[in-house]
Amino acid sequence: DSDSSDSKFKIHNWLTTHSVTGIYSRPLVRASDGNLFLVFVDRIESTANAEIYLTRSDNNGNTWQTPIALMNVDRPNAVTPVIDINSTSGLHVFWVDSNNTQTDVHYRSCPAGSVNCMSLSNWSNDLNLTADNNNSINPVVAISSDNNLHLAWSTSPNGQGRAWYMQCAANC
């Protein structure tokens, strides 16, 4: 039956062959202008390191722009990217990054307006939010109506699971 719900979905398998997603991941958002933004993990460039990439579709996912890497390649692994968008279409991306001895939650943002977020020069610097030796994992983000960022993540210091929360006022 051509009207079945499964025929309404398109699969794009060209994006990544080594994708790592987490159960807490929110990798896709839609801007007020209709553009879709997707973050994912891959080894696109000639490095063995897993990196966080961003791509955009301006035609409801029929085609996607060439992805850009949002992180430095001097660290070995990145996982669990999450993205959210504020009321002015500013993008906020969080991910877990490892330096072989510890995992931390990292953050970058791209302001709204006429700024092209597919140009890395328009993004903030990579900020390590949890450099505390507690192996931070599973970031979850929400943006409130006043554009405050709300971030939660978990750690397991000494085998004891803990939940953490951080807030940042508008213009983070």
Side-chain angles (χ1 to χ4, degrees):
D1 180 7
S2 63
D3 290 328
S4 67
S5 62
D6 61 347
S7 68
K8 296 178 183 177
F9 291 90
K10 293 181 181 180
I11 297 174
H12 293 279
N13 63 358
W14 56 266
L15 283 177
T16 177
T17 58
H18 299 91
S19 180
V20 179
T21 58
I23 59 173
Y24 305 103
S25 181
R26 179 185 180 182
L28 182 69
V29 294
R30 180 182 296 276
S32 59
D33 62 5
N35 284 331
L36 294 170
F37 291 91
L38 174 70
V39 290
F40 62 96
V41 176
D42 202 355
R43 292 173 172 89
I44 291 176
E45 296 180 5
S46 61
T47 177
N49 297 337
E51 297 183 69
I52 303 300
Y53 290 89
L54 173 82
T55 186
R56 176 178 67 193
S57 174
D58 60 5
N59 58 11
N60 284 320
N62 289 317
T63 59
W64 295 86
Q65 293 184 356
T66 302
I68 62 167
L70 289 180
M71 57 174 284
N72 298 327
V73 297
D74 61 345
R75 295 184 304 269
N77 284 304
V79 294
T80 327
V82 294
I83 187 170
D84 211 341
I85 191 165
N86 65 23
S87 65
T88 61
S89 295
L91 297 177
H92 302 271
V93 176
F94 300 83
W95 68 92
V96 172
D97 203 355
S98 168
N99 65 7
N100 281 332
T101 60
Q102 168 173 323
T103 58
D104 294 308
V105 176
H106 288 251
Y107 167 72
R108 288 189 92 161
S109 64
C110 181
S114 61
V115 171
N116 177 7
C117 290
M118 291 305 295
S119 173
L120 190 58
S121 64
N122 292 324
W123 284 81
S124 66
N125 290 330
D126 176 344
L127 179 62
N128 184 342
L129 297 176
T130 62
D132 58 8
N133 296 319
N134 282 330
N135 286 324
S136 302
I137 57 173
N138 302 326
V140 180
V141 64
I143 299 178
S144 57
S145 60
D146 57 359
N147 288 332
N148 288 340
L149 293 176
H150 302 270
L151 175 68
W153 69 96
S154 60
T155 64
S156 56
N158 304 317
Q160 301 293 318
R162 304 222 172 154
W164 297 86
Y165 168 82
M166 170 184 299
Q167 177 183 1
C168 181
N171 300 319
C172 295

